[in-house]
Amino acid sequence: MLHYDAFSIHGSKPMTTNFSLQAFEDSAHDGGDSRFWYAHQLMGWLGYDSWQSFQGVITKAMGSCTRLGLDPTEAFTREEVIEGGKTVKTYRLTRFACLLVSMTADSKKPEVAEAKAALAAIADTLIQQRVESADLARLETREDLKIAEKAMTGAARDGGLQTTEFGIFKDAGFRGMYNMSLRDLQAHKGMPQGKTLYDFMGLEELAGNLFRVTQTAARIKSKNVSGLNSLQRTAQDVGSEVRRMMIQNSGTAPEHLAIEEDVQGVQKRLKKVDREMKKLDKPKAKKKP
């Protein structure tokens, strides 16, 4: 157990409330094989008053770590420190964990915006590619969409849909939302053959489809929809409603939204950031005299 007295989790607001990259670098702790930072110290720099609310940010960042296929326990290590004579629970954070936290924290806080910009700039320099909060949001929404589609499939099956009919049912939802079949939509967007369209959708389009899928499942259940024709009509109706909403809000029909980098590419890029940041924080080898 370590003694650490610079910040307070409970009670008064932390002493430091502005993010300074130099202060961040200077506050790194030597973990032997790599440098690390304390979560409750980062909490103060990001403008959070309450450990309880900041714990939610940590949990969300750990979820992002898992979606990247990384072990969150390596980036977020539980720790206890002595502060003001009291035992305080916190986390040891790697530099990459600090980046994830800044990307999932409340962007309305100016301190968060400063931290996110500074840490993302380091990441950009290391891999020569931009790293943005939308990357994590796309991964999260894509994962939610996978779960939602399973729920919609289950609702349709409860309504009597046969396995051989699912393609027809699913296509009806796309026809409603895009005014064209899934096959035509893939051609319209210039999708690579053999690839899943969802994996190339931007955040706005993914979110629209997530809403369409969840609301289709909800309507099937609430209206006790059954039979292929009724299920097909329901999927198309909900898709049409989502289409109108998206056009009303943005002025752009969903079929005209541009495809983006494959989410698998996003995962690889962020994993590369993790690897390069680990190298950055490893102890420097001493030169032989």
Side-chain angles (χ1 to χ4, degrees):
M1 190 178 297
L2 301 176
H3 291 264
Y4 193 72
D5 299 314
F7 288 82
S8 174
I9 291 179
H10 307 288
S12 61
K13 189 172 184 176
M15 294 163 52
T16 305
T17 57
N18 294 321
F19 186 86
S20 161
L21 184 57
Q22 186 58 56
F24 173 80
E25 297 292 351
D26 292 343
S27 71
H29 297 266
D30 182 7
D33 59 345
S34 183
R35 294 192 297 169
F36 70 90
W37 289 260
Y38 278 120
H40 63 293
Q41 185 170 8
L42 183 63
M43 179 186 80
W45 282 330
L46 296 184
Y48 281 81
D49 301 323
S50 161
W51 176 254
Q52 184 177 3
S53 61
F54 193 63
Q55 176 72 61
V57 179
I58 295 286
T59 301
K60 189 173 181 180
M62 292 175 73
S64 296
C65 198
T66 301
R67 278 187 287 276
L68 290 171
L70 301 172
D71 183 356
T73 61
E74 292 183 1
F76 302 80
T77 306
R78 291 186 181 275
E79 181 77 80
E80 288 187 353
V81 298
I82 299 297
E83 186 175 274
K86 296 181 179 180
T87 301
V88 173
K89 293 181 179 180
T90 186
Y91 291 86
R92 287 189 181 196
L93 305 177
T94 64
R95 185 185 293 268
F96 185 65
C98 291
L99 172 63
L100 290 181
V101 169
S102 73
M103 292 171 73
T104 54
D106 184 358
S107 59
K108 296 185 183 69
K109 293 179 179 291
E111 300 91 344
V112 171
E114 292 169 6
K116 188 188 303 182
L119 295 174
I122 295 172
D124 296 348
T125 300
L126 291 173
I127 66 169
Q128 302 300 309
Q129 289 179 287
R130 286 186 62 81
V131 173
E132 300 177 345
S133 298
D135 294 332
L136 296 182
R138 278 188 70 205
L139 292 173
E140 180 179 359
T141 307
R142 177 67 184 99
E143 193 64 30
D144 289 344
L145 185 51
K146 289 179 183 178
I147 297 170
E149 280 223 310
K150 290 180 180 178
M152 183 180 71
T153 302
R157 282 179 178 158
D158 290 343
L161 191 72
Q162 302 299 308
T163 302
T164 55
E165 298 170 332
F166 182 68
I168 300 172
F169 166 71
K170 183 177 179 180
D171 203 55
F174 280 102
R175 287 180 183 277
M177 183 167 170
Y178 293 95
N179 276 351
M180 64 182 77
S181 68
L182 176 57
R183 177 177 293 184
D184 290 343
L185 178 62
Q186 289 174 316
H188 175 77
K189 286 182 176 282
M191 275 292 302
Q193 287 189 350
K195 297 291 185 178
T196 302
L197 180 56
Y198 284 148
D199 291 343
F200 290 82
M201 288 182 181
L203 180 57
E204 178 185 349
E205 192 171 1
L206 278 172
N209 276 283
L210 176 60
F211 186 68
R212 171 181 63 81
V213 169
T214 55
Q215 293 307 300
T216 299
R219 187 167 300 180
I220 290 171
K221 291 178 181 178
S222 65
K223 302 294 185 181
N224 294 317
V225 181
S226 62
L228 175 59
N229 290 338
S230 295
L231 288 165
Q232 191 176 354
R233 186 166 56 253
T234 297
Q236 186 159 351
D237 287 347
V238 173
S240 296
E241 291 167 14
V242 173
R243 175 183 178 82
R244 287 194 294 272
M245 186 185 304
M246 293 181 72
I247 293 174
Q248 182 179 359
N249 289 338
S250 68
T252 303
E255 62 268 23
H256 298 317
L257 294 172
I259 61 173
E260 299 188 12
E261 177 187 7
D262 186 349
V263 290
Q264 293 181 7
V266 174
Q267 288 178 317
K268 290 179 181 178
R269 179 158 45 84
L270 290 171
K271 283 183 175 181
K272 186 176 181 181
V273 173
D274 178 47
R275 291 195 300 271
E276 294 302 315
M277 283 187 164
K278 284 178 179 175
K279 293 178 185 177
L280 186 64
D281 289 319
K282 282 189 177 296
K284 305 295 182 184
K286 294 181 180 180
K287 295 182 179 180
K288 295 182 180 180

